């Protein structure tokens, strides 16, 4: 049957008007001939329609020309008046013919006899596709596209007679359908059946190994380290993923003979053609370790992890290979893909003695690692008394060694290198991580081993957590010192607790139980145990109303609030009435709020709280704003900031959770806030290290706080 | 008037099944937390997936959703909210009444299907919602 659109094929030649044919003035000659040197048995008439790809004032209108191949002839010419210096798309229409540009001469259009391909689409998923297009590729014929006719759920396209043809049936916003090696017979309609047009982005490509299609390749679609989908390449090495959501992906193709990776980002719901992915032969990774065995005489254990894409801000390490090295210190991993890896060498106790990043490139890789051993002896004490404990030494290179101190506090072992090490101390039988200290491990001249003395303060707080009726209850305990967490622990089921290893001075003990919370100021003595009784009380609720100075409620404001009576940041959101509620321990006398309302400047304010009972606050927000820009060496830790008349808050609370990346610019972090004076300090106390600035209305204030935290204090 | 502040984030990544023929659950592309104050309940938009249906409809972080398909938001707990959104199908349109930058807006979000790898997140959302709901006094 005749198609509704008796169109031929869009040649999309994309040529400049004067680049081919005979140009006389603006006239361009196009040569049309029948395929295979055939002779016209009937008069063949048609139309050429040229459209400029980029229209300008002088050249924007389509141009048409008719042509005719008389009976007995093989070819003809047609003239198009095309503006020179412009690229044109040419559509050829000829009844019963499929037109494609000649490979030898793009200004020649070859007319093939046309057959019909048809099908129907499944509309069960969402709305049906709009325009359906067909694309034909053939070594013999070439490649070209056309728009198909659609009636109801049926579609029909022209296609050149013959084969084999590779056919793509596509619709914008839907995954295409591919048919390989089909043949179209004259006067016979090829029915491709029903296609389900699935909306969304799709990804296609071809796998090759040594210029040959790889039909046994497995192709994984990865989102970070998550396998989204997997396919096997077909006989032509072709693969397709459909229904791909927007995001960042990696295509990984593998066979026994090689592998290939390709990263892409899907932002639009279109087909992403990766072209040819060429498999690279696998690499053999060979490791030689010296000394050949661990200090305990047992073989080394090796782990090789792949450094993957960052996920939620963290680098993903996926185990690729692991195992025991030989008695001679050799280990091998085969069939590795090129890329970045993290190599770990562990002793039999699982302590990481060496960790480093390695790059595996094409070809074999041989790495020799010398695991250095620094013999170590030392003692650990608490309050001058020997401490039986587990010590975990962590180095900057990632090495992590676990040692045990005996009841005399003595320990010995070996570390892979000298230098600064962070040490975590777990007293035997305790639920508390006592301290993290930075210790220097170094052998003095001529010494056979390094000597380390770890002295923990002897301050202790013991007691019991009870409810308002005096019954012991379990609770989580936090010790705050200078607004930072010093240590944390848990109570026993009956509420009793003992927190050890505290430095002398003023601290705040916070108890958080299901029945309520409590905060208690304590003084830690150097030598004596501080005994306390902690009574938790039900929290009180304080309502706050946020209003704009115009009087309208501020809806959807995210409010972070802080008080000395609880260690963590708490959060509330204003609703349609502009009101919110804060849950506070009953002893809270003042609370500091950081208010982030969309379209309004951020605000820091400290307000008094009435003791007990409900209180109601009214906070007014203004439009006046300025920009605070802060350069930092890195986060965490965040410095503290305060405004005029407010308490210190973490600078990080000025940014919407989960949206930190949007607040980073060339000058560092930036926050739109109320104008006024601000002070930034590395700690929540005023010191010489603090920096002052004034945020002007409508202007910027820049603070370079990158020198904060450059040298960690030993007390952390 | 007692209020229950529910602070948590549900990322609605309602996923599609494999490339199959049956209609699949839809994905709207935004994360929210559920809040109550007196008799009022609302959803607070925490995040909007880039390139997703919600972003295309104009939804933004910190928007407050007060009604869905013409009915005031009235989820009694997190589980009800998660279950509601899990039942939305691909192609289904959801009309939201939103307070955005102190202006009221109505927007329609057309759900699209999601790849299978987000099935795990869907189950996780329901687990989190169940855990939080059961912890409430």
């Amino acid at each position: 049957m005749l198609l509704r659109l008796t169109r031929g094929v869009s040649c999309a030649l994309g040529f400049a008007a004067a680049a081919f044919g005979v140009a006389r003035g603006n006239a361009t000659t196009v040569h049309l001939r029948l395929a295979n040197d055939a002779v016209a048995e009937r008069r063949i008439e048609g139309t050429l329609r040229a459209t400029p790809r980029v229209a300008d004032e002088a050249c924007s209108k389509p141009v048409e020309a008719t042509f005719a191949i008389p009976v007995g002839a093989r070819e003809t010419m047609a003239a198009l008046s095309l503006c020179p210096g412009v690229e044109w798309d040419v559509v050829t229409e000829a009844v019963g013919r499929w037109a494609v540009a000649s490979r030898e001469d793009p200004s020649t259009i070859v007319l093939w006899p046309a057959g019909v391909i048809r099908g129907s689409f499944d509309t069960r998923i969402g709305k049906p596709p709009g325009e359906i297009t067909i694309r034909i590729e053939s070594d013999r014929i070439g490649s070209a596209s056309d728009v198909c006719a659609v009636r109801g759920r049926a579609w029909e396209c022209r296609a050149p007679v013959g084969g084999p043809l590779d056919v793509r049936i596509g619709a914008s916003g839907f995954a295409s359908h591919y048919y390989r090696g089909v043949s179209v017979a004259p006067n016979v309609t090829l029915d491709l059946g029903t296609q389900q047009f699935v909306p969304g982005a799709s990804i296609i490509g071809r796998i090759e190994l040594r210029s040959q299609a790889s039909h046994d390749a497995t192709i994984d679609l990865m989102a970070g380290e998550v396998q989204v989908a997997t396919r096997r390449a077909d006989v032509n090495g072709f693969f397709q993923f459909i229904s791909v959501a927007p995001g960042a992906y990696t295509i990984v193709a593998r066979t026994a003979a090689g592998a290939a990776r390709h990263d892409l980002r899907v932002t639009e719901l279109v087909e992403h053609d990766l072209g040819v992915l060429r498999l690279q032969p696998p690499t053999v990774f060979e490791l030689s370790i010296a000394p050949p065995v661990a200090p305990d005489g047992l073989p080394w254990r090796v782990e090789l992890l792949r450094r993957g894409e960052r996920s939620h801000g963290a680098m993903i390490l996926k185990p690729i290979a692991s195992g025991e090295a030989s008695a001679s210190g050799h280990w091998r991993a085969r069939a590795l893909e090129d890329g970045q890896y993290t190599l770990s060498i562990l002793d039999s106790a699982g302590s990481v003695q060496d960790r480093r990043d390695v790059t595996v490139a094409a070809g074999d890789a041989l790495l020799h690692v010398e695991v250095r051993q620094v013999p170590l002896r030392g003692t650990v004490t608490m309050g001058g008394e020997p401490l039986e404990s587990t010590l975990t030494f962590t180095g900057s290179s990632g090495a992590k060694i676990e040692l045990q101190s005996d009841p005399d506090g003595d320990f010995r072992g070996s570390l892979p290198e000298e230098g600064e090490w962070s040490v975590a101390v777990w007293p035997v039988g305790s639920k508390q991580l006592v301290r993290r200290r930075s210790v220097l491990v170094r052998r003095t001249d001529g010494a056979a081993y390094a000597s380390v003395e770890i002295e923990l303060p002897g301050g202790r707080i013991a007691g019991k957590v009870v409810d308002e009726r005096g019954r012991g209850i379990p609770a989580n305990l936090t010790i705050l010192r200078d607004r930072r967490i010093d240590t944390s622990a848990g109570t026993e089921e009956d509420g009793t607790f003992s927190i050890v290893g505290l430095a002398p001075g003023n601290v705040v003990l916070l108890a958080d139980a299901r029945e309520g919370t409590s905060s208690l100021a304590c003084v830690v003595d150097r030598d004596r145990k501080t005994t306390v009784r902690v009574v938790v009380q039900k929290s009180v609720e304080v309502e706050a109303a946020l209003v704009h100075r115009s009087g309208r409620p501020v809806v959807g404001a995210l409010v972070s609030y802080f008080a000395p009576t609880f260690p963590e940041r708490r959060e509330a959101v204003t609703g349609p009435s502009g009101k919110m509620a804060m849950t506070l321990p009953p002893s809270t006398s003042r609370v500091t709020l950081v208010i982030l309302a969309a379209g309004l400047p951020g605000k820091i304010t400290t307000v008094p709280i009435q003791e007990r009972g409900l209180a109601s606050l009214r906070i007014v927000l203004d439009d006046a704003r300025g920009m605070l820009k802060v350069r930092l060496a890195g986060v965490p830790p965040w410095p503290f900031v305060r405004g005029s008349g407010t308490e210190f808050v973490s600078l990080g609370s000025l940014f919407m959770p989960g949206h930190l990346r949007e607040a980073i610019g060339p000058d560092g972090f930036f926050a739109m806030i109320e104008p006024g004076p601000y002070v930034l300090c590395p700690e929540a106390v005023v010191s010489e290290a603090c920096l002052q600035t004034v945020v002007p209305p409508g202007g910027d204030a820049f603070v370079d706080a990158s020198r904060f935290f450059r040298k960690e204090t030993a007390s952390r | 008037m007692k209020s229950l502040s529910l602070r948590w984030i549900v990322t609605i990544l309602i996923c599609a099944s494999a490339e199959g023929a049956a209609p699949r659950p839809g994905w709207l592309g935004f994360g929210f937390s559920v809040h109550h104050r007196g008799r009022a309940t609302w959803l607070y938009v925490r995040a909007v997936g880039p390139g997703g249906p919600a972003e295309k409809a104009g939804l933004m972080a910190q928007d407050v959703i007060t009604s869905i398909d013409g009915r005031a938001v009235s989820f009694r707990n997190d589980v009800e909210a998660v279950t509601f959104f899990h039942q939305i199908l691909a192609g289904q349109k959801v009309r939201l009444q939103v307070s955005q930058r102190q202006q009221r807006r109505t927007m329609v979000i057309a759900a699209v299907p999601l790849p299978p790898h987000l099935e795990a997140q869907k189950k996780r959302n329901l687990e989190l919602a169940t855990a939080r709901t059961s912890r409430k006094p």
Side-chain angles (χ1 to χ4, degrees):
Chain A
M1 80 185 167
L2 286 178
L3 296 174
R4 175 166 58 89
L5 295 174
T6 56
R7 287 173 58 168
V9 172
S10 160
C11 290
L13 295 177
F15 51 79
F20 74 99
V22 178
R24 296 195 179 90
N26 288 347
T28 302
T29 303
V30 178
H31 181 208
L32 298 105
R33 66 176 174 82
L34 297 179
N36 296 328
D37 286 328
V39 172
E41 296 176 359
R42 292 181 293 180
R43 182 181 172 80
I44 298 172
E45 294 181 338
T47 306
L48 293 173
R49 185 172 297 111
T51 309
R53 282 195 174 174
V54 179
D56 60 27
E57 287 183 7
C59 201
S60 62
K61 294 182 181 177
V63 175
E64 282 193 11
T66 59
F67 64 87
I69 301 179
V71 174
R74 292 190 174 87
E75 59 191 355
T76 187
M77 309 281 273
L80 290 167
S81 295
L82 305 178
C83 306
V86 176
E87 290 219 332
W88 295 82
D89 286 325
V90 177
V91 172
T92 308
E93 296 179 2
V95 175
R97 295 284 158 174
W98 174 271
V100 64
S102 165
R103 292 184 174 184
E104 293 77 27
D105 176 11
S107 66
T108 296
I109 296 173
V110 180
L111 300 174
W112 293 83
V116 177
I117 296 179
R118 72 179 181 196
S120 60
F121 49 83
D122 190 333
T123 58
R124 277 182 288 169
I125 295 182
K127 63 178 184 181
E131 187 175 81
I132 290 182
T133 59
I134 183 172
R135 180 166 181 82
I136 303 289
E137 288 191 8
S138 162
D139 288 341
R140 182 170 63 93
I141 297 174
S143 63
S145 304
D146 192 16
V147 178
C148 304
V150 176
R151 281 202 188 114
R153 294 195 308 164
W155 55 267
E156 208 169 84
C157 309
R158 288 206 169 260
V161 168
L165 309 174
D166 291 340
V167 176
R168 187 194 83 180
I169 305 297
S172 179
F174 296 83
S176 301
H177 290 264
Y178 291 86
Y179 301 89
R180 304 280 171 186
V182 302
S183 293
V184 178
N187 304 315
V188 176
T189 299
L190 176 63
D191 192 333
L192 296 181
T194 300
Q195 295 78 36
Q196 192 177 88
F197 281 90
V198 180
S202 59
I203 302 171
I204 64 169
R206 287 201 311 115
I207 309 297
E208 278 188 5
L209 177 66
R210 299 187 200 97
S211 302
Q212 298 290 324
S214 176
H215 57 82
D216 62 344
T218 301
I219 304 101
D220 293 328
L221 178 65
M222 308 295 294
E225 291 299 317
V226 176
Q227 184 191 63
V228 176
T230 189
R231 296 285 182 274
R232 285 193 72 89
D234 68 9
V235 63
N236 298 298
F238 174 80
F239 67 89
Q240 181 186 33
F241 293 99
I242 69 172
S243 222
V244 181
Y249 298 94
T250 301
I251 301 289
V252 181
R254 292 190 184 90
T255 68
R261 297 174 71 91
H262 184 99
D263 295 324
L264 77 154
R265 177 169 287 276
V266 173
T267 55
E268 295 179 83
L269 300 183
V270 297
E271 184 173 79
H272 295 74
D273 188 346
L274 305 185
V276 174
L277 300 183
R278 292 185 172 81
L279 299 175
Q280 300 296 328
T283 299
V284 175
F285 179 78
E286 206 157 338
L287 178 66
S288 165
I289 308 171
V293 294
D296 54 10
L298 297 175
W300 295 108
R301 181 164 179 79
V302 181
E303 288 182 354
L304 196 64
L305 297 88
R306 184 174 187 95
R307 292 165 62 82
E309 297 297 324
R310 286 192 176 274
S311 174
H312 306 293
M315 179 70 72
I316 299 295
L317 293 175
K318 178 183 174 183
I320 295 295
S322 64
E324 241 179 42
S326 68
S328 59
H330 285 90
W331 181 82
R332 176 182 286 185
R334 296 182 182 276
L336 289 185
E337 300 162 18
D338 294 353
Q340 305 290 319
Y341 295 83
T342 295
L343 173 70
S344 298
I345 299 175
L346 304 89
D347 61 22
S348 60
S351 294
V352 178
Q353 296 282 345
D354 190 280
R355 175 171 282 166
R356 62 185 64 194
D357 296 333
V358 297
T359 299
V360 174
D364 293 344
L366 174 62
L367 181 67
H368 179 72
V369 173
E370 279 198 33
V371 181
R372 295 187 293 172
Q373 296 294 298
V374 179
L376 175 69
R377 292 184 190 178
T379 58
V380 57
T381 59
M382 180 184 292
E385 299 295 321
L387 181 69
E388 186 180 5
S389 63
T390 300
L391 305 157
T392 304
F393 286 76
T394 304
S396 57
S397 63
K400 190 176 277 191
I401 314 299
E402 192 171 277
L403 304 175
Q404 304 292 331
S405 64
D406 60 21
D408 293 326
D410 295 329
F411 63 89
R412 61 172 63 190
S414 65
L415 300 180
E417 60 185 2
E418 296 180 345
E420 290 275 345
W421 287 80
S422 170
V423 182
V425 182
W426 292 87
V428 168
S430 169
K431 293 183 180 179
Q432 178 190 358
L433 172 63
V434 176
R435 293 296 295 270
R436 280 182 167 268
R437 294 178 63 91
S438 179
V439 299
L440 178 63
V441 175
R442 184 151 292 157
R443 281 177 287 199
T444 54
D445 291 339
Y449 53 84
S451 183
V452 171
E453 307 297 324
I454 299 175
E455 296 173 357
L456 301 178
R460 187 153 67 111
I461 298 177
K464 188 172 185 177
V465 177
V466 299
D467 62 11
E468 289 175 308
R469 297 184 194 175
R471 297 177 302 183
I473 54 174
N476 294 320
L477 303 175
T478 307
I479 297 289
L480 293 183
R481 191 189 301 268
D482 297 331
R483 293 282 304 274
R484 292 200 194 271
I485 294 177
D486 195 69
T487 191
S488 55
T491 69
E492 303 296 336
E493 283 299 310
D494 64 356
T496 57
F497 65 89
S498 177
I499 303 177
V500 300
L502 296 173
N506 297 319
V507 298
V508 174
L509 169 66
L510 304 177
D512 186 8
R514 193 171 52 185
E515 292 79 356
T517 60
S518 180
S519 68
L520 191 66
C522 304
V523 178
V524 177
D525 195 275
R526 183 186 301 278
D527 301 312
R528 290 186 301 139
K529 177 179 70 177
T530 302
T531 303
V532 297
R533 179 181 169 87
V534 184
V535 181
V536 299
Q537 294 171 302
K538 287 188 178 175
S539 300
V540 296
E541 196 171 87
V542 175
E543 183 179 270
L546 271 59
V547 293
H548 186 257
R549 64 186 173 90
S550 64
R552 68 172 192 270
V554 176
V555 180
L558 180 70
V559 179
S560 304
Y561 57 98
F562 308 83
T565 51
F566 51 89
E568 78 283 8
R569 165 183 167 271
R570 295 186 180 181
E571 187 185 276
V573 170
T574 60
S577 62
K579 293 182 179 178
M580 63 174 212
M582 295 183 289
T583 303
L584 304 172
S587 57
T588 305
S589 62
R590 66 188 186 283
V591 64
T592 300
L593 295 84
V594 178
I595 302 168
L596 301 178
L600 293 174
K603 184 184 181 73
I604 307 174
T605 184
T606 298
V607 294
I609 302 294
Q610 298 175 8
E611 282 192 5
R612 301 215 172 257
L614 287 177
S616 183
L617 305 173
R618 187 171 185 273
I619 300 170
V620 180
L621 302 183
D622 203 289
D623 290 314
R625 66 197 66 191
M627 196 72 77
L628 174 65
K629 298 180 179 179
V630 182
R631 178 169 292 153
L632 297 171
V635 294
W638 287 98
F640 291 91
V641 62
R642 76 173 192 190
S644 174
T646 79
E647 301 279 352
F648 277 104
V649 295
S650 167
L651 181 67
S653 62
L654 290 180
F655 307 106
M656 276 287 291
H659 296 262
L660 190 60
R661 284 189 185 177
E662 297 153 28
I664 300 176
D667 294 324
F669 293 92
F670 59 92
M672 186 177 63
I673 58 175
E674 285 190 335
Y678 292 88
V679 177
L680 269 80
C681 303
E683 308 291 340
V685 291
V686 176
S687 68
E688 290 181 355
C690 295
L691 300 170
Q692 298 188 29
T693 189
V694 176
V695 175
D700 298 351
F702 174 71
V703 177
D704 186 350
S706 56
R707 60 184 172 84
F708 287 177
F709 314 121
R710 267 196 190 148
K711 191 173 182 180
E712 274 212 305
T713 60
S715 62
R716 287 201 185 282
Chain B
M1 209 183 309
K2 185 171 185 179
S3 73
L4 296 173
S5 288
L6 302 178
R7 296 188 291 114
W8 64 290
I9 294 172
V10 171
T11 301
I12 298 295
L13 297 173
I14 301 172
C15 39
S17 61
E19 307 137 26
R24 293 149 66 179
W27 174 55
L28 296 176
F30 69 95
F32 62 86
S33 51
V34 184
H35 298 265
H36 303 269
R37 180 105 193 112
R39 290 184 179 179
T41 302
W42 66 93
L43 305 182
Y44 186 62
V45 178
R46 295 281 178 166
V48 178
E55 185 185 60
K56 291 181 181 175
L59 196 67
M60 302 170 71
Q62 292 195 273
D63 286 356
V64 170
I65 299 171
T66 52
S67 84
I68 301 173
D69 288 337
R71 297 163 80 171
V73 173
S74 60
F75 304 118
R76 287 177 295 178
N77 51 50
D78 299 355
V79 173
E80 279 195 14
V82 172
T83 303
F84 171 83
F85 284 101
H86 280 191
Q87 291 171 350
I88 291 176
L89 298 176
Q92 184 176 340
K93 294 180 182 176
V94 179
R95 192 174 81 250
L96 305 178
Q97 190 75 29
V98 172
S99 179
Q100 181 179 89
R101 304 293 193 265
Q102 319 314 320
Q103 304 281 338
R104 287 200 174 186
R105 290 188 56 187
T106 299
M107 54 184 69
V108 177
I109 305 178
V112 298
L114 259 192
H117 75 283
L118 291 172
E119 278 284 354
Q121 184 63 48
K122 173 183 175 181
K123 291 178 186 173
R124 180 77 181 138
N125 285 343
L126 193 54
E127 288 170 4
L128 287 172
T130 305
R132 292 204 181 253
T133 300
S134 64
R135 276 206 295 268
K136 283 295 167 187

